[in-house]
Amino acid sequence: SKGAAWRNMFSQFIEQELGFTSTRIDADVYRRKTKRPDGTFYYEYLLVYVDDCLLISHDPNSIMEKIKRRFDLKDGYGEPKAYLGAEIVKHQTEHGVMAWGLKSAQYVNNIVTIVSAELEKDGRRLKSSRNRKNSGPLPTNYKPELDVSPEVEPRLIQRFQTMLGMFRWAIELGRIDIEIETSLLSQYQASPREGHLEAAYSIVHYLKYNSSKVAVMDPADMICDSRRFNSNANWKEIYGDITEEIPPDAPEPLGAPVTISVFVDADHASNVVTRRSHTGVLIFVQNALIMSYCKRQNTVESATFGSELVAMRLAR
């Protein structure tokens, strides 16, 4: 296809002429070893999405000029302002450090506009079914599995599915504050009920009045009480005298060391009908959230310990 031919050609240019190497985890993320003006080495990164590029380097102009000489750049180049629907902004952290951040306000406002327009066709206005005491998208005790309202008509099924798709992308842009609610409602995409649709409207209403949140890539160290962990445990009794296997083609570690922190939780038997639990995982590099995961567990566990163990296995 044309898309595959373009990707292959652009990838060859990046690797052969710019000297970048494609990474194993994501073939559209490229790295190149380079030296800073102070003499220290680090990796430059080039991220590609079809024909959009995001470059991380101390000297991005020289690389972009090489790309410009080979390809026509529609809007030129400069500091990133937006990427894949998110606004890229600079944010000053509480430690006084300027850090990059993802702001989804424009995308969220588009969601509100689209849903409000659909409701106007039905002679309705966007409003929430939440109790005013609840500050989140839905009440904390909301149980979609107990909803016995009538099933919605086909055109509203499509609207429900469209909203969930928009919620999913908003989550990718950093709006993890609606992730558990979206995950719960996603179980009913095939045949939602009126109550499920109203819950989706409530999420949109919440986004309307909470549109300007920013996911900051904070480089500060994660503050975590190490006393909660048993760092002196003798794991050899269980696993033997082993060491972590490192891939033979792993890149050379460069730059300042970072800490990866993983937070895991599970709400045991939260579904009162099936008794299945829900897993939540947050992964940080330093104090920057880089990945979130929220999904119903496949098994039914008889105790909290079991559901927490399943969640930790998924996080691993």
Side-chain angles (χ1 to χ4, degrees), residues 66-111:
K66 292 180 181 179
I67 297 176
K68 183 180 179 181
R69 287 197 292 267
R70 179 70 178 273
F71 304 95
D72 292 330
L73 302 183
K74 183 176 64 174
D75 301 317
Y77 63 87
E79 282 195 354
K81 302 297 182 183
Y83 195 70
L84 303 182
E87 303 159 71
I88 301 180
V89 298
K90 289 184 178 180
H91 181 86
Q92 185 171 6
T93 69
E94 58 183 7
H95 307 291
V97 176
M98 293 302 296
W100 293 102
L102 291 178
K103 186 177 181 180
S104 57
Q106 183 175 349
Y107 183 79
V108 166
N109 289 332
N110 287 339
I111 294 176

Side-chain angles (χ1 to χ4, degrees), residues 181-198:
E181 292 80 6
T182 301
S183 180
L184 290 173
L185 292 179
S186 294
Q187 302 171 37
Y188 306 96
Q189 290 190 75
S191 184
R193 297 181 179 275
E194 291 178 357
H196 301 145
L197 184 61
E198 292 300 322

Side-chain angles (χ1 to χ4, degrees), residues 89-152:
V89 298
K90 289 184 178 180
H91 181 86
Q92 185 171 6
T93 69
E94 58 183 7
H95 307 291
V97 176
M98 293 302 296
W100 293 102
L102 291 178
K103 186 177 181 180
S104 57
Q106 183 175 349
Y107 183 79
V108 166
N109 289 332
N110 287 339
I111 294 176
V112 174
T113 300
I114 292 171
V115 175
S116 297
E118 290 296 317
L119 285 172
E120 286 181 5
K121 295 178 183 178
D122 299 336
R124 296 185 52 184
R125 295 177 59 188
L126 181 64
K127 60 180 182 179
S128 174
S129 59
R130 298 180 299 126
N131 188 304
R132 291 184 179 180
K133 295 181 180 179
N134 298 312
S135 59
L138 295 174
T140 55
N141 60 349
Y142 176 65
K143 299 290 183 182
E145 66 272 18
L146 298 180
D147 195 307
V148 294
S149 58
E151 295 181 355
V152 301

Side-chain angles (χ1 to χ4, degrees), residues 141-186:
N141 60 349
Y142 176 65
K143 299 290 183 182
E145 66 272 18
L146 298 180
D147 195 307
V148 294
S149 58
E151 295 181 355
V152 301
E153 56 185 285
R155 71 178 184 88
L156 295 180
I157 293 178
Q158 184 177 9
R159 182 185 298 180
F160 181 76
Q161 294 170 342
T162 300
M163 284 194 290
L164 289 181
M166 292 189 291
F167 296 161
R168 282 292 176 191
W169 190 246
I171 293 168
E172 290 294 322
L173 301 182
R175 294 307 302 262
I176 64 169
D177 51 334
I178 64 170
E179 187 161 10
I180 178 63
E181 292 80 6
T182 301
S183 180
L184 290 173
L185 292 179
S186 294

Side-chain angles (χ1 to χ4, degrees), residues 15 20-31 45-46 251:
E15 294 182 326
F20 282 79
T21 301
S22 178
T23 57
R24 174 184 288 188
I25 296 299
D26 190 334
D28 291 318
V29 175
Y30 301 83
R31 69 172 185 274
Y45 285 94
L46 178 61

